């Protein structure tokens, strides 16, 4: 770890273990609002919402939901970008005893209808700036659609402030949030995250990052996604940090917000780090306030990690998690030497293991499926008992679908997604290994290695590549460069160039959307 990061670690929370946590996410907000009522909670451009104002706005939402007949356990859909009203509605629904169903604002009508119908949501609250898809999707699902505008739930009169704004009690094993997976292997499934799941992971995450009221977290990860929602919004509310929102990731906007708000913590997926690193405005951004950068959501290419650290003067620590684990399961801890390329070690209270196909634990150095057990593991998939049984083992371990290995010091490394494994003529080829090599090439901006159907071998190795502007490489020259650096059965026989790689809502590369060109 660099001297820069060592100097900037807050001394108020010197250990990674979380302080004692209360029983609900809303209680975290209530405690912070009572402790530091005037402190900024949410920042968006010139707009600022303090913790007391946020807390009172959630009471307005909860009161209105109860008046409309919301019962404990009822699901409510939220379809908003990174704006303060997401947090207001999120905590307001939980305050009233409801279950939050976050939706990507980019979903189309049929997708909106599916999420609402599948979850049994009784209403949809959607950002007024989103085109007609929310209203049409809600109509197709037969639920009310409520457009939302900035400042809509600010208390305006005595009727909004009557009573203490009570918190509807919910048990630790009751559902709090249903997060729908991306549906890479079929229709999306709703991961049922309980109050216990989210409270434990929020406290752990805030302690891992050593968040305090002096921090400003740069909130460009989407709040409807597990990463941004838990490690950004909930961890900030727990610690009393400010969350500087960027409605949708744009490198120029993120760099401007970093400078203007003197952000101390940046959280992102690897493609965000790469986009910031290569943006023309990066040289003029003032990153001197940054004390910690956190990467998750996908494997960070080591070359990108080192280049970002050199340019921004801040260490990048990698973690690992998924929606089903609330999300954080492993992290490179601040008080221990990190391992570039590693996801670190298990977080407090979580166990990791590497399993063979029969479920037996493998020794250090061998590759198998990563499994997670702990208070952060979901209850199951909403109304999908068969899918739940496929991933939740009888002993409580969750099969992640990721291939991993553990070294002799207990650090874990993601080798690849189990479903992304390429079997070329009987040989296992791990795409991430080849992507790491491709990123070493000075002409490569982004790369994705994937299986290409082959009549003789079953699967062939393909590489979709985005070149840096002005690069003069050809598919043949890049293929030859790879052939010199990896075993003969591994190097990509098919290489093609794209203007950009398709990405999901968090900026993660979506291999399933990459079109393989027909052979010339």
């Amino acid at each position: 770890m660099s001297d820069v990061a060592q100097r900037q670690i807050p001394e108020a929370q010197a250990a990674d273990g979380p302080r004692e946590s209360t029983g609900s996410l809303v209680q975290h907000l209530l405690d912070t609002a009572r402790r530091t009522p005037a402190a900024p909670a949410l920042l968006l451009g010139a707009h600022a919402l303090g913790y007391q104002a946020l807390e009172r706005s959630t009471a307005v939402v909860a009161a209105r939901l109860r008046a409309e007949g919301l019962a404990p356990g009822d699901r409510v859909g939220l379809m908003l970008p990174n704006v303060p009203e997401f947090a207001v509605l999120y905590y307001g629904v939980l305050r009233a005893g409801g279950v939050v169903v976050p939706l990507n604002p980019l979903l189309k009508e049929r997708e909106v209808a599916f999420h609402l119908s599948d979850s049994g949501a009784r209403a949809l609250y959607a950002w007024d700036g989103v085109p007609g898809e929310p209203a049409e999707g809600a109509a197709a699902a037969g639920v009310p659609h409520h457009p939302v505008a900035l400042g809509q739930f600010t208390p305006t009169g005595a009727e909004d402030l009557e009573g203490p704004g009570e918190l509807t009690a919910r048990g630790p094993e009751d559902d709090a949030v249903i997060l729908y997976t991306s549906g890479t292997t079929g229709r999306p499934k709703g991961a049922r995250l309980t109050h216990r799941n989210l409270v434990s992971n929020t406290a752990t995450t805030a302690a891992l990052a050593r968040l305090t009221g002096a921090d400003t977290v740069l909130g460009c990860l989407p709040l409807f996604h597990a990463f941004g929602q838990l490690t950004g919004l909930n961890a900030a509310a727990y610690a009393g940090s400010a969350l500087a929102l960027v409605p949708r990731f744009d490198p120029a906007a993120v760099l401007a917000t970093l400078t203007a708000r003197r952000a101390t913590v940046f959280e992102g997926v690897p493609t965000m780090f790469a986009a910031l690193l290569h943006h023309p405005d990066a040289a003029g951004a003032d990153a001197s306030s940054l004390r910690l950068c956190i990467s998750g959501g996908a494997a960070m290419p080591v070359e990108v990690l080192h280049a970002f650290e050199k340019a921004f003067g801040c260490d990048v620590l990698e973690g690992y998690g998924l929606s089903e684990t609330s999300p954080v399961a492993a992290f490179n801890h601040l008080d221990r030497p990190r391992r570039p390329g590693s996801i670190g070690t298990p977080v407090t209270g979580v166990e990791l293991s590497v399993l063979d196909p029969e479920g037996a634990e493998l020794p250090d150095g061998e590759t198998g499926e990563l499994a997670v057990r702990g208070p952060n593991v979901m209850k199951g998939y909403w109304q999908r008992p068969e899918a739940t049984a496929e991933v939740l083992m009888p002993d409580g371990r969750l099969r992640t679908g990721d291939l991993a290995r553990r070294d002799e010091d207990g650090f874990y490394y993601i080798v690849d997604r189990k479903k992304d494994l390429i079997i070329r003529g009987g040989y296992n080829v791990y795409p991430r290994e080849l992507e790491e090599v491709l990123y070493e090439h000075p002409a490569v901006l982004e790369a994705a290695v994937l299986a290409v159907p082959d009549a003789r071998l079953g699967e062939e190795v393909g590489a979709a590549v985005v070149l840096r502007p002005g690069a003069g490489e050809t598919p043949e020259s890049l293929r030859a460069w790879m052939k010199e650096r990896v075993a003969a059965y591994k190097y990509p026989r098919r290489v093609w160039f794209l203007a950009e790689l398709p990405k999901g809502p968090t900026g993660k590369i979506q291999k399933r959307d990459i079109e393989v060109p027909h052979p010339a």
Side-chain angles (χ1 to χ4, degrees):
M1 186 178 298
S2 72
D3 291 339
V4 172
Q6 290 280 20
R7 287 197 303 270
Q8 294 177 344
I9 294 173
E11 297 182 2
Q13 296 181 33
D16 281 345
R19 63 177 168 82
E20 184 177 354
S21 173
T22 49
S24 79
L25 297 176
V26 179
Q27 191 60 54
H28 293 170
L29 174 61
L30 297 178
D31 292 343
T32 298
R34 187 179 303 112
R35 190 170 63 246
T36 55
L42 301 165
L43 307 170
L44 178 63
H47 182 77
L49 191 66
Y51 270 104
Q52 186 176 58
L54 172 59
E55 183 273 323
R56 293 316 305 161
S57 295
T58 68
V60 170
V61 171
R64 294 183 187 179
L65 288 171
R66 292 187 186 105
E68 293 169 3
L70 184 82
D74 282 350
R75 278 77 59 205
V76 178
L78 303 185
M79 191 173 175
L80 299 92
N82 285 13
V83 292
E85 280 60 37
F86 182 100
V88 171
L89 283 159
Y90 180 89
Y91 291 120
V93 171
L94 294 176
R95 188 169 189 157
V99 179
V100 177
V101 183
L103 279 69
N104 184 342
L106 299 179
L107 293 179
K108 298 298 184 181
E109 174 190 344
R110 59 182 296 277
E111 297 168 314
V112 175
F114 168 78
H115 284 76
L116 296 176
S117 299
D118 187 74
S119 65
R122 61 171 295 144
L124 173 66
Y125 287 81
W127 188 239
D128 199 26
V130 176
E133 309 288 354
E136 294 164 2
V143 302
H145 163 251
H146 302 286
V148 177
L150 189 67
Q152 180 172 332
F153 301 104
T154 302
T156 56
E159 70 278 3
D160 285 333
L161 294 172
E162 288 179 356
E166 69 275 5
L167 169 60
T168 298
R170 298 284 284 157
E173 301 306 322
D174 288 333
D175 294 345
V177 175
I178 297 178
L179 279 178
Y180 276 83
T181 64
S182 57
T184 56
T185 57
R187 291 205 306 174
K189 302 182 293 291
R192 301 172 66 185
L193 303 182
T194 67
H195 287 270
R196 175 174 177 257
N197 292 153
L198 300 181
V199 166
S200 67
N201 209 243
T202 295
T204 295
T205 300
L208 285 168
R210 302 189 183 177
L211 293 179
T212 72
D215 280 307
T216 296
V217 180
L218 196 50
C220 56
L221 287 163
L223 297 180
F224 62 81
H225 190 271
F227 193 0
Q229 187 183 129
L230 274 295
T231 66
L233 175 62
N234 288 334
Y238 175 82
S241 308
L243 184 64
L245 296 170
V246 178
R248 189 175 178 186
F249 180 75
D250 173 77
V254 172
L255 291 167
T257 304
L258 165 63
T259 300
R261 292 297 185 180
R262 304 289 298 159
T264 58
V265 178
F266 171 67
E267 301 166 342
V269 298
T271 53
M272 291 181 176
F273 285 89
L276 294 175
L277 176 64
H278 300 299
H279 195 273
D281 294 348
D286 182 1
S288 60
S289 58
L290 280 178
R291 66 170 183 83
L292 176 63
C293 293
I294 296 172
S295 176
M300 167 76 89
V302 176
E303 289 295 317
V304 174
L305 183 148
H306 289 313
F308 187 93
E309 290 181 332
K310 182 178 180 181
F312 285 81
C314 181
D315 281 354
V316 179
L317 298 183
E318 284 192 81
Y320 170 83
L322 54 161
S323 297
E324 291 88 341
T325 59
S326 303
V328 183
F331 196 69
N332 278 276
H333 298 66
L334 280 165
D335 61 349
R336 308 169 203 172
R338 67 166 187 180
R339 300 284 174 88
S342 167
I343 61 171
T345 56
V347 301
T348 302
V350 171
E351 303 171 32
L352 298 182
S353 51
V354 179
L355 308 179
D356 68 13
E358 285 70 47
E361 191 161 353
L362 292 169
D364 291 346
E366 293 195 22
T367 297
E369 184 175 8
L370 186 66
V372 182
R373 177 165 54 195
N376 59 329
V377 173
M378 67 170 183
K379 181 191 291 186
Y381 292 118
W382 176 259
Q383 295 184 334
R384 299 284 196 282
E386 297 84 4
T388 299
E390 289 176 3
V391 298
L392 281 180
M393 301 172 67
D395 62 3
R397 285 183 292 184
L398 173 81
R399 292 182 176 272
T400 65
D402 286 321
L403 296 174
R405 61 179 175 84
R406 181 182 59 231
D407 68 18
E408 65 278 6
D409 296 321
F411 282 78
Y412 287 78
Y413 300 78
I414 297 299
V415 175
D416 233 309
R417 285 290 296 171
K418 188 176 179 181
K419 65 180 181 63
D420 289 341
L421 175 68
I422 302 170
I423 303 177
R424 181 183 184 273
Y427 288 93
N428 289 352
V429 179
Y430 299 106
R432 186 194 169 184
E433 176 190 357
L434 302 184
E435 289 162 0
E436 289 280 358
V437 178
L438 281 166
Y439 274 104
E440 294 175 8
H441 196 293
V444 173
L445 181 63
E446 291 183 336
V449 174
L450 62 157
V452 176
D454 185 88
R456 184 173 66 89
L457 298 170
E459 291 181 328
E460 186 54 273
V461 183
V465 176
V466 178
L467 295 177
R468 297 184 189 276
E473 292 297 318
T474 65
E476 292 74 23
S477 66
L478 196 56
R479 183 168 57 245
W481 188 86
M482 288 291 291
K483 186 177 180 180
E484 294 177 356
R485 287 162 175 79
V486 299
Y489 72 90
K490 292 181 182 178
Y491 78 88
R493 268 61 172 183
R494 297 281 305 280
V495 178
W496 63 97
F497 298 150
L498 297 174
E500 60 180 357
L501 295 179
K503 298 179 179 68
T506 63
K508 182 177 178 179
I509 294 170
Q510 301 281 45
K511 291 186 179 181
R512 68 179 184 272
D513 293 332
I514 296 175
E515 293 187 8
V516 179
H518 292 292

